[in-house]
Each structure stands twice: as structure tokens, then as C-alpha cells.
């Protein structure tokens, strides 16, 4: 209902009063009715955001296709979610009634993708994002999986230099939205390889959007993928371009950064502002948000695949929204930004959140200590599957699925039950045991490398093997498309000589150095056992005397043949000890050895059962 003339006069008085408060306190806390904001001094701008899609156009399988909801009675509920048919419909529904609406993403839209997109170098995912109405995205580390030239092709279009056009007579047109890479520089020129920011404009409203990836991208991408590139500090980069935008008269700024945090709960609706602003979240994004100039009004983040909508104070002490929408299109975030036409800046307004709770500093515009209340006008929403499908996305999926079917639908093995990888919360994952056993078996023969031990980085396991059929193949059947989803990188396997001392150092690097705060526990092949004592700190968490191969203690002076994928053996994920290995031998791809193992060790009558996952003894 539109406001009556007296209400409009009241709205104008309230706006004038709020402006006076801004002049006095430096913070504008408005109480303008929502309907007045579309016609008066302020206007509400809707920011819809998501991150880490990873080419998941179809609904993800297993745990990758659910989100956890915390319920009032203290229990949790798993909700099936994701799939671009539903994501597109959710976003389009959310946009209704909002004249000012931005849709943005925080990187890893492509890379580590299921076969339907990955087989065609993620052209299907970019096409879907074009149709979905994306306005901008930052680059993420996975945008560099195939290197700079391929990322540039994703932006500008053209056929793949080796594989050619995905379809005869059709040239890939590229992304209609800008990929932003503010902190990714060409080593020779010192300039960003893509645009550092873009400016969204509509009817006089201007909002600057800065995009960047984590500075540590070279640590989580193959060396070839980031060759010739330099990745700068996140805070310094954001502050630089926020200042540049400010000089251009753009006072409203949001940042899309592919770096994230870890909320205290895995529930998508967890209140990470309890008991205080940002108290329920930790990780790199917290320090970034605390240090970045107050000129930036909101952060959309990613990388950790977590869900949160937090308020973290900026350097001036004012609250600032920091969000992430999990991954794989299972959630989207809806944030309201109130734009002041006079100041051209965002008003950080205290309003009740979607769950009815007040902001972190109290119930009024000014809470404890006279500080402005937080802006909780942001919430994550489930992309549930109990809604209509977007017809254009269904057509897109059907088209690419048909092209991929001859490869994707081929059976490669059989399983007796779910074998969890990504969905396992344990340090040793059942699917990790299967993968490392496959690698050991393939590279153990003397002519193939003579491997005695195999290691797998946990982040490289991208999904579960789900017992329930994903299509018409039948329950328990593992298709090539499903195995590809588990291991989509097609990394080449390597075998190296490592001394026992170096092998123990590898295990200790799981819980020390860059992995101290967030341990990366490697998956290990059969025969290797050890104790992980979490009551201790740093490298001491790995009990060196407990490390054994086939029951015999590892000899620090002895040489062992160790297998792993090229990313891990190159020191990726914070494991430099692998780089010290010698006598390197290259083998088949990780996907090929995985598929060969599934085929050799399972059949319709004797499916593969989930392993016991009892190689690592954990002391808590």
C-alpha cells in the first residue's frame, strides 16, 4: 500500500532528521519507511549473491546436494538443495518487485566441475551464468585450473585451442558479465590480468564492485595454472581500488573476495553474530574484514564452502556485512543495501533479521556504548527443489547432457552403499581410502613406479559415491560421469623417492606450518598407519613413533617410494616435503587409475563395500 500524503511528509522529516544525525555522529541510521525509500532520498538496492558453484548445473548428489538447517528444538534437518534450474528460479523470484537489483558471485564458478560442464571446459557453466543474469564475479583459485589463457577465453569467448569448438559450427561467446581480478597481476607488466572492478549503475545509483581471489591461490593451484602471475595481498588491493573508486565519486562499494571463514556451526541459518558481532566466525576473512577501509560497505565471500551472514566491525568500529552462500548453488544470499542519493553512500541500517532477532549491538539505532547497531538485513536462503524449474535452464542441461551422454553414462563400477568423501566429517574418509588404494595398486608395479605408499589431498575429493542412481543407470552403479565428479582435475600421478624422515615430515605438515589453524589430513593407502593426537600442538600431533608401514616402524634413514597426484607432489596445499622427493616417475591420470580400480574390484554381483577407514588412530 502506498503512503498517504501525511506519511510522505513524515518520511521526509525522518530523512532530514537522519541526515542531521549523520553530520553529528558520522553514521546515518534511518527510520524511513520501506515504501518511501523507492521515491525519496534513499533507495533500497537488492544484492543477491552466491559462490563456489563449480559447474554444478544438475542437482549435486549425496551430501553435496543438501544443506543443514538448525531447528528451534535443537535438532538439525538435511534439506535437498541446489541445481541451476532451481537457483535461476530462486533468483528470479527474489528479484520481483525490486527495481534496483544486483546479482554477484565470489569466484569458483568453474573448475572442479562435474562431467557435464567439465567435459566442455566449463562452457556450459558460463552459458548458464549468462542466462541467470549475473552482473559480476570475482575470480577464484579454480578459475586458474587451466591457466590464464583459458580464463581469458572464459571471459572473451572463442573455441578451445586444443579441443576446438564444443559443437560444430558454434563458437563459444564467453561471459557477458565481468570476471574481476584486482589482485592478480602479470609478473612482467605489474597490471591486473582482468578488470579490477566494475561500476553498477541504474537511474543515478552507482555502486562499485571490486573482485579478487585469495593471495594464497598459488598454494592451491598447480604451478602451471598460475605461471607468470603474481597474487597480491587482499587488504592492500581492496583499499587501493576503494580509494580509486572514491576519487571517481563512487562512494558505495562492495567487495567480492574468494576467501572465507569458518562459522562455529555448519547450519546455514546459524547466527554468527552471537553473542556479539562476528563472534561466531573465524578464519582469514575475519582479519581481512577488520582491516579493509570503511569505504567498503559489504563483503561477498567464498572458498571455504561455508554458509554465514555475519557482521564484522570495520576499522572505525562500524558494523559491516560479510556473507557466504555455501557452495554448488545450494544457497543464495539476499542483502538489502540502502543507498543515500545525497551522500551517494550506503546507509548501514538497523532492522530485524529474517529470523526476527535484533542486531548485534541492541534493539535501537544506537546500542551499547553508543555504537550503531548492525545491519542484519541479509540472510541466506535455501535453493530448495520444491519449486518450479527454470525452463531455460532445463533446456540448457538437456542440451549439454545429451552431448556428454556417450561418455558420462558408461558404467565403471558398482558399490554396495554410499562411500562418502566430501560428505564425511572424519579425518580419514572412506572414499579417501578407496582412492589411495587405487593409486597404490596402479603405481606399485616396478615398471609403473614401484610405489609403496600413496597419499591423496582431501580437497581433491570433490564429492561422494552415492548408492542412489543419479539417472537411469540403476542404484549402486557408478558411471564415468559420477567418478569424474569425484576426481575432476585429471591430475597426472607421480612416484618419488622420499626418506623416512621426509615421509614423517609430510605427515607433520598436515598439522603445522600453513596447516596449523586448519589441518589438512591426507588420505593414506592401506598398510600405512599412525596416531594423530589432537591433545598436542603443531607437528607433535603426529606421533612419529607410531608411523608404520605394514606393521614396521618407518626408518628415517630408509628410502620409500611414494605416490601422489602432481598437485600434491608439487608441494600443493602446504606440503613442501613432497617437493624434496627425487627420482620422479610420471604415471596415468588420477581419474584413470580410480576408474580402473572400480572396474577391477567390483561387479553387479559383488559390489564394492565402504572400507573401514581405520588407518589413522585419532586421540581427542
Amino acid at each position: 500500500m502506498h503512503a498517504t500524503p501525511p506519511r510522505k511528509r513524515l518520511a521526509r522529516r525522518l530523512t532530514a532528521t537522519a541526515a542531521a544525525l549523520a553530520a553529528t555522529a558520522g553514521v546515518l541510521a534511518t527510520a524511513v519507511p520501506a515504501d518511501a525509500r523507492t521515491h525519496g532520498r534513499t533507495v533500497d538496492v537488492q544484492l543477491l549473491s552466491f559462490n563456489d558453484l563449480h559447474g554444478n548445473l544438475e542437482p549435486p548428489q549425496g551430501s553435496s546436494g543438501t544443506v543443514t538447517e538448525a531447528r528451534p528444538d535443537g535438532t538439525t534437518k538435511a534439506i535437498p538443495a541446489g541445481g541451476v534450474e532451481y537457483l535461476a528460479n530462486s533468483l528470479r523470484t527474489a528479484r520481483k518487485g525490486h527495481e534496483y537489483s544486483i546479482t554477484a558471485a565470489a569466484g569458483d564458478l568453474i573448475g572442479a566441475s562435474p562431467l557435464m560442464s567439465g567435459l566442455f571446459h566449463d562452457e556450459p557453466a558460463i552459458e548458464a551464468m549468462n542466462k541467470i543474469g549475473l552482473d559480476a564475479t570475482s575470480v577464484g583459485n579454480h578459475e586458474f585450473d587451466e591457466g590464464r589463457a583459458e580464463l581469458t577465453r572464459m571471459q572473451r569467448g572463442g573455441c578451445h585451442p586444443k579441443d576446438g569448438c564444443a559443437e560444430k559450427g558454434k563458437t563459444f561467446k564467453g561471459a557477458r558479465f565481468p570476471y574481476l581480478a584486482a589482485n592478480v597481476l602479470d609478473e612482467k607488466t605489474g597490471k591486473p590480468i582482468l578488470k579490477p572492478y566494475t561500476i553498477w549503475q541504474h537511474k543515478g545509483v552507482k555502486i562499485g564492485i571490486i573482485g579478487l581471489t585469495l593471495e594464497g591461490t598459488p598454494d592451491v593451484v598447480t604451478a602451471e595454472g598460475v605461471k607468470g602471475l603474481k597474487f597480491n595481498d587482499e587488504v592492500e588491493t581492496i583499499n587501493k581500488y576503494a580509494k580509486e573508486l572514491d576519487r571517481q565519486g563512487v562512494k558505495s562499494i562492495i567487495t567480492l573476495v574468494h576467501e572465507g571463514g569458518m562459522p562455529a556451526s555448519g547450519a546455514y541459518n546459524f547466527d554468527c553474530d552471537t553473542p556479539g558481532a562476528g563472534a561466531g566466525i573465524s578464519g582469514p576473512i575475519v582479519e581481512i574484514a577488520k582491516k579493509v577501509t570503511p569505504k567498503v560497505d559489504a563483503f561477498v565471500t567464498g572458498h571455504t564452502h561455508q554458509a554465514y551472514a555475519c557482521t564484522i566491525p570495520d576499522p572505525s568500529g562500524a558494523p559491516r556485512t560479510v556473507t557466504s552462500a555455501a557452495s554448488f548453488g545450494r544457497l543464495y544470499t539476499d542483502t538489502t543495501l540502502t543507498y543515500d542519493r545525497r551522500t551517494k553512500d550506503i546507509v548501514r541500517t538497523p532492522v530485524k533479521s529474517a529470523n526476527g532477532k535484533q542486531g548485534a549491538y541492541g534493539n535501537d539505532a544506537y546500542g551499547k556504548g553508543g555504537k550503531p547497531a548492525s545491519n542484519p538485513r541479509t540472510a541466506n536462503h535455501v535453493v530448495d527443489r520444491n519449486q518450479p524449474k527454470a525452463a531455460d535452464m532445463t533446456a540448457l542441461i538437456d542440451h549439454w547432457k545429451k552431448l556428454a551422454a556417450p561418455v558420462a553414462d558408461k558404467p565403471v563400477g558398482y558399490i554396495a552403499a554410499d562411500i562418502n568423501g566430501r560428505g564425511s566429517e572424519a579425518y580419514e574418509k572412506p572414499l579417501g581410502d578407496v582412492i589411495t588404494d587405487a593409486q597404490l595398486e596402479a603405481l606399485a608395479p616396478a615398471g609403473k613406479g614401484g610405489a609403496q605408499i600413496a597419499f591423496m589431498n582431501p580437497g581433491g575429493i570433490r564429492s561422494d559415491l552415492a548408492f542412489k542412481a543419479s539417472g537411469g543407470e540403476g542404484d549402486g552403479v557408478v558411471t564415468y560421469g559420477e567418478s569424474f565428479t569425484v576426481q575432476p582435475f585429471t591430475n597426472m600421478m607421480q612416484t618419488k623417492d622420499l626418506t623416512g624422515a621426509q615421509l614423517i615430515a609430510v605427515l607433520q605438515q598436515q598439522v603445522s606450518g600453513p596447516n596449523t589453524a586448519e589441518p589438512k589430513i591426507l588420505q593414506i593407502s592401506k598398510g600405512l598407519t599412525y596416531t594423530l593426537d589432537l591433545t598436542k600442538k603443531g607437528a607433535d600431533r603426529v606421533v612419529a613413533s607410531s608411523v608404520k608401514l605394514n606393521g614396521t616402524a618407518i626408518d628415517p634413514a630408509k628410502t620409500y617410494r611414494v605416490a601422489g597426484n602432481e598437485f600434491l607432489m608439487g608441494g600443493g596445499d602446504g606440503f613442501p616435503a613432497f617437493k624434496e622427493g627425487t627420482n620422479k616417475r610420471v604415471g596415468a591420470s588420477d581419474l584413470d587409475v580410480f576408474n580402473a580400480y572400480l572396474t577391477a574390484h567390483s561387479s553387479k554381483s559383488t559390489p564394492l563395500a565402504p572400507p573401514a577407514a581405520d588407518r589413522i588412530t585419532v586421540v581427542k
Side-chain angles (χ1 to χ4, degrees):
M1 182 180 291
H2 290 287
T4 60
R7 286 180 181 170
K8 289 182 179 179
R9 287 195 294 272
L10 175 61
R12 286 194 291 271
R13 292 192 192 103
L14 289 171
T15 302
T17 301
L21 284 172
T24 303
V27 176
L28 182 60
T30 71
V32 182
D35 54 357
R37 290 197 184 112
T38 60
H39 303 290
R41 172 172 167 174
T42 61
V43 58
D44 279 350
V45 178
Q46 179 188 60
L47 172 61
L48 301 176
S49 58
F50 56 96
N51 51 277
D52 295 275
L53 181 70
H54 291 288
N56 278 265
L57 304 184
E58 294 183 281
Q61 274 197 294
S63 62
S64 296
T66 64
V67 293
T68 300
E69 179 181 71
R71 309 182 83 175
D73 62 1
T75 62
T76 59
K77 177 184 179 182
I79 304 174
V84 293
E85 294 163 299
Y86 305 108
L87 177 61
N89 188 67
S90 293
L91 294 174
R92 290 164 183 170
T93 300
R95 290 180 191 132
K96 290 180 180 178
H98 294 272
E99 182 179 0
Y100 300 82
S101 184
I102 302 170
T103 302
D108 277 9
L109 296 181
I110 59 175
S113 303
L115 185 71
M116 192 183 73
S117 186
L119 185 64
F120 304 104
H121 301 282
D122 275 315
E123 292 178 20
I126 297 296
E127 184 178 331
M129 294 301 97
N130 285 340
K131 291 178 179 291
I132 222 166
L134 192 63
D135 291 301
T137 184
S138 69
V139 293
N141 55 285
H142 281 285
E143 264 78 20
F144 294 92
D145 282 349
E146 294 190 48
R148 171 184 178 176
E150 180 64 1
L151 172 58
T152 302
R153 189 179 76 88
M154 291 293 99
Q155 178 70 84
R156 300 175 182 173
C159 296
H160 192 272
K162 291 184 179 179
D163 296 339
C165 299
E167 298 180 80
K168 188 176 181 179
K170 291 185 179 180
T171 301
F172 174 57
K173 296 181 180 179
R176 292 202 294 263
F177 51 89
Y179 255 114
L180 305 176
N183 69 331
V184 187
L185 312 183
D186 183 295
E187 283 186 340
K188 293 181 179 179
T189 67
K191 296 180 179 180
I193 62 169
L194 294 170
K195 292 176 62 175
Y197 60 81
T198 188
I199 300 173
W200 181 91
Q201 301 184 61
H202 183 66
K203 293 187 176 180
V205 174
K206 292 184 179 181
I207 296 180
I209 305 173
I210 301 169
L212 65 160
T213 186
L214 70 156
E215 183 184 8
T217 290
D219 297 328
V220 291
V221 177
T222 60
E224 190 64 27
V226 294
K227 187 176 181 181
L229 302 178
K230 181 182 178 182
F231 293 78
N232 278 357
D233 178 79
E234 300 95 339
V235 174
E236 292 177 3
T237 300
I238 298 169
N239 287 348
K240 172 185 176 180
Y241 288 109
K243 186 176 181 180
E244 184 172 315
L245 284 165
D246 185 68
R247 286 198 301 265
Q248 296 179 35
V250 179
K251 307 297 183 181
S252 297
I253 302 170
I254 62 176
T255 292
L256 315 175
V257 54
H258 191 71
E259 179 61 288
M262 297 296 294
S265 167
Y268 84 89
N269 56 338
F270 168 65
D271 183 0
C272 59
D273 285 338
T274 299
I281 186 172
S282 60
I285 196 60
V286 177
E287 289 306 308
I288 292 172
K290 286 180 178 179
K291 294 176 181 177
V292 163
T293 172
K295 295 180 188 297
V296 172
D297 298 292
F299 286 90
V300 176
T301 74
H303 189 53
T304 59
H305 291 205
Q306 301 298 309
Y308 47 84
C310 301
T311 305
I312 300 176
D314 67 22
S316 72
R320 182 161 55 189
T321 298
V322 179
T323 68
S324 174
S327 60
F328 306 152
R330 295 173 292 166
L331 299 174
Y332 73 93
T333 311
D334 191 338
T335 302
T336 300
L337 304 170
T338 299
Y339 181 91
D340 187 311
R341 291 184 181 276
R342 184 179 300 173
T343 66
K344 299 180 181 179
D345 206 351
I346 297 298
V347 179
R348 303 194 193 174
T349 312
V351 188
K352 281 187 177 181
S353 63
N355 61 13
K357 293 185 178 181
Q358 299 290 342
Y361 291 102
N363 299 336
D364 302 312
Y366 290 87
K368 295 179 181 179
K371 292 183 178 181
S374 65
N375 176 9
R377 293 203 300 162
T378 184
N380 279 319
H381 300 276
V382 179
V383 178
D384 68 82
R385 300 175 193 166
N386 296 317
Q387 62 176 306
K389 298 179 180 181
D392 58 338
M393 293 298 167
T394 301
L396 181 147
I397 288 173
D398 289 346
H399 175 75
W400 289 104
K401 195 171 183 179
K402 184 177 180 181
L403 293 177
V407 176
D409 294 345
K410 179 184 177 182
V412 294
Y414 300 83
I415 55 175
D418 289 351
I419 303 181
N420 288 332
R422 199 80 173 181
S424 172
E425 296 183 358
Y427 284 129
E428 182 182 348
K429 306 176 189 306
L431 191 51
D433 285 2
V434 174
I435 290 171
T436 51
D437 286 352
Q439 294 175 351
L440 178 61
E441 182 173 290
L443 278 70
K448 299 291 185 180
Q452 298 167 276
I453 302 166
F455 289 101
M456 177 64 190
N457 53 307
I461 305 172
R462 306 303 298 183
S463 186
D464 306 324
L465 283 183
F467 178 79
K468 185 177 180 181
S470 60
E473 74 276 11
D475 290 347
V477 179
V478 180
T479 65
Y480 183 90
E482 290 166 343
S483 66
F484 184 96
T485 299
V486 170
Q487 293 215 261
F489 300 107
T490 317
N491 281 322
M492 303 308 292
M493 294 300 302
Q494 294 182 2
T495 311
K496 289 183 178 181
D497 285 344
L498 264 69
T499 65
Q502 290 170 330
L503 196 155
I504 292 172
V506 163
L507 294 175
Q508 291 174 331
Q509 286 167 2
Q510 298 175 115
V511 288
S512 62
N515 295 327
T516 301
E518 295 180 26
K520 288 187 176 73
I521 305 303
L522 297 169
Q523 307 303 288
I524 56 177
S525 57
K526 61 183 179 181
L528 184 64
T529 57
Y530 72 95
T531 297
L532 183 67
D533 190 345
L534 299 179
T535 65
K536 298 180 180 179
K537 295 183 179 180
D540 290 339
R541 287 180 165 186
V542 173
V543 182
S545 62
S546 72
V547 184
K548 298 179 180 180
L549 179 60
N550 299 320
T552 301
I554 292 294
D555 182 349
K558 187 178 177 180
T559 298
Y560 298 85
R561 289 293 284 170
V562 177
N565 62 55
E566 60 184 309
F567 167 70
L568 195 58
M569 298 301 262
D573 270 354
F575 292 95
F578 279 122
K579 296 176 69 176
E580 298 173 8
T582 58
N583 193 21
K584 180 177 74 174
R585 178 160 185 161
V586 178
S589 75
D590 52 6
L591 179 61
D592 285 345
V593 302
F594 182 47
N595 285 335
Y597 185 86
L598 291 173
T599 300
H601 292 271
S602 68
S603 65
K604 191 171 184 179
S605 59
T606 57
L608 184 67
D614 56 1
R615 299 165 188 178
I616 304 173
T617 301
V618 180
V619 177
K620 296 182 180 180

